[in-house]
Amino acid sequence: MAQIVAAVTTSHVPSIGMAIDTGITQDPYWKPLFDGYLPAKEFVKQLAPDITIVVYNDHGLEVFLDRVPTFGVGAAAEYRSGDEGWGPRPIPPFKGDPDFSWHLIEHLVAQEFDVTMFQELSVDHGFTVPMSVFFGGAAGEVDEWPTRVVPITVNTIQFPLPLAARCFKLGQAIRRAVDAYPKDARVMIVGTGGMSHQLQGERAGFMQPEFDRQFLKKMVDDPIALTRISNGVYMKEAGHEGAELIMWLVARGAMNMQVREVYQHYHVSASLTAAGLACYVDA
Ligand code: DHB
Ligand code: FE
């Protein structure tokens, strides 16, 4: 039987990937961030998930504004880093698990989540940076990713975005689908994006540590309160791209109501983003 063994969450700033790929993680600007990632990497190493579900938003690589699925699930045998303008990242391809993906898709549709099915999908920083944060190392350290992956996309780009409550329910539906998978598999779910940040407009550079701290606390002890926050309020309080935090709620929804936070790290800033990370197991 498959089971979800942990949920982990992290920001997905592109320059975090650049810092890994160019070997500058120990530079003074980056060192505090990467030092903070070490316990999370150790946690994931010990956990050794067979399958990792990565909940992320495509930022215009595969999904452009003319066609935007609210939710999508990858069903490919392999996913490669796409070219977001600087060339594909120098990382190995990610192995998929089509059997598990189709099982997820069937069970999500049966639970009234009518997801888009991606039989081909290249992945952007929203996916690759969290994978590097939790599984990667210095440039070139990873020859092969130690887990199979399933990308799940969430629209956080084009209005209207799915509600936070809907994202949490998607996580609950993913949990039921995983529990119903007949083969043995240890599954980790990753929620990506956030925390507070805004990339454009008059408030570019906006960050809100107090909001983020409250969010981190409620992820543990009152996630339902976070599902009641409207996307407009997420954007006002955490910056426009801070609304990416709804993807953390997909991961949280896949866990028990009671969780234990194994590790948390928060660092202001990585690029324009207040970079948060947390690891949770069922209590
Ligand atoms: C940055 C953050 C993001 O979430 C993103 O998708 C792109 C850039 C940044 O802070 O640079
Ligand atoms: Fe983003």
Side-chain angles (χ1 to χ4, degrees), residues 11-266:
S11 306
H12 62 210
V13 179
S15 50
I16 294 174
M18 176 281 298
I20 295 170
D21 299 342
T22 58
I24 59 167
T25 60
Q26 295 309 297
D27 282 10
Y29 179 82
W30 289 109
K31 189 172 168 25
L33 180 77
F34 284 98
D35 283 354
Y37 286 165
L38 292 175
K41 282 176 65 178
E42 189 52 37
F43 169 72
V44 170
K45 194 173 175 184
Q46 297 299 326
L47 200 70
D50 302 304
I51 301 174
T52 302
I53 298 172
V54 183
V55 183
Y56 78 108
N57 65 297
D58 180 287
H59 297 75
L61 174 72
E62 287 276 3
V63 170
F64 204 60
L65 300 183
D66 52 348
R67 295 164 209 196
V68 184
T70 298
F71 298 121
V73 179
E78 187 181 274
Y79 307 89
R80 288 179 180 263
S81 168
D83 182 354
E84 294 185 74
W86 302 276
R89 289 189 56 207
I91 52 176
F94 299 92
K95 274 202 188 63
D97 187 330
D99 276 356
F100 180 75
S101 285
W102 285 114
H103 170 90
L104 263 187
I105 291 166
E106 279 173 20
H107 278 250
L108 290 177
V109 172
Q111 295 178 72
E112 303 180 7
F113 278 94
D114 305 319
V115 296
T116 295
M117 307 157 215
F118 286 104
Q119 297 195 57
E120 281 183 6
L121 184 68
S122 59
V123 285
D124 75 6
H125 67 271
F127 180 100
T128 66
V129 167
M131 285 298 291
S132 292
V133 163
F134 290 115
F135 292 98
E141 197 180 286
V142 177
D143 299 329
E144 204 176 306
W145 298 99
T147 181
R148 304 188 296 281
V149 299
V150 178
I152 295 194
T153 64
V154 175
N155 167 36
T156 64
I157 295 290
Q158 166 89 310
F159 293 102
L161 314 187
L163 304 181
R166 185 72 175 148
C167 289
F168 189 82
K169 284 181 189 161
L170 174 63
Q172 292 176 314
I174 291 169
R175 169 66 172 263
R176 286 190 285 268
V178 171
D179 287 347
Y181 192 57
K183 291 190 211 165
D184 282 343
R186 295 162 54 74
V187 181
M188 182 172 87
I189 183 163
V190 188
T192 79
M195 300 191 83
S196 59
H197 65 302
Q198 172 145 344
L199 300 178
Q200 21 53 37
E202 278 174 19
R203 290 206 308 170
F206 177 83
M207 285 171 248
Q208 194 56 271
E210 190 43 45
F211 179 91
D212 293 338
R213 297 263 180 226
Q214 282 298 319
F215 186 95
L216 284 164
K217 183 170 179 305
K218 292 208 164 84
M219 276 287 282
V220 179
D221 58 28
D222 194 4
I224 297 302
L226 300 175
T227 70
R228 296 200 180 109
I229 301 175
S230 71
N231 285 321
V233 169
Y234 273 112
M235 288 177 196
K236 186 160 171 279
E237 299 290 325
H240 189 265
E241 280 69 38
E244 289 176 345
L245 283 170
I246 60 176
M247 296 183 291
W248 288 39
L249 294 175
V250 179
R252 183 62 180 86
M255 303 302 285
N256 281 353
M257 268 308 166
Q258 257 74 50
V259 293
R260 185 165 63 83
E261 184 185 69
V262 177
Y263 183 65
Q264 182 200 114
H265 187 250
Y266 184 71

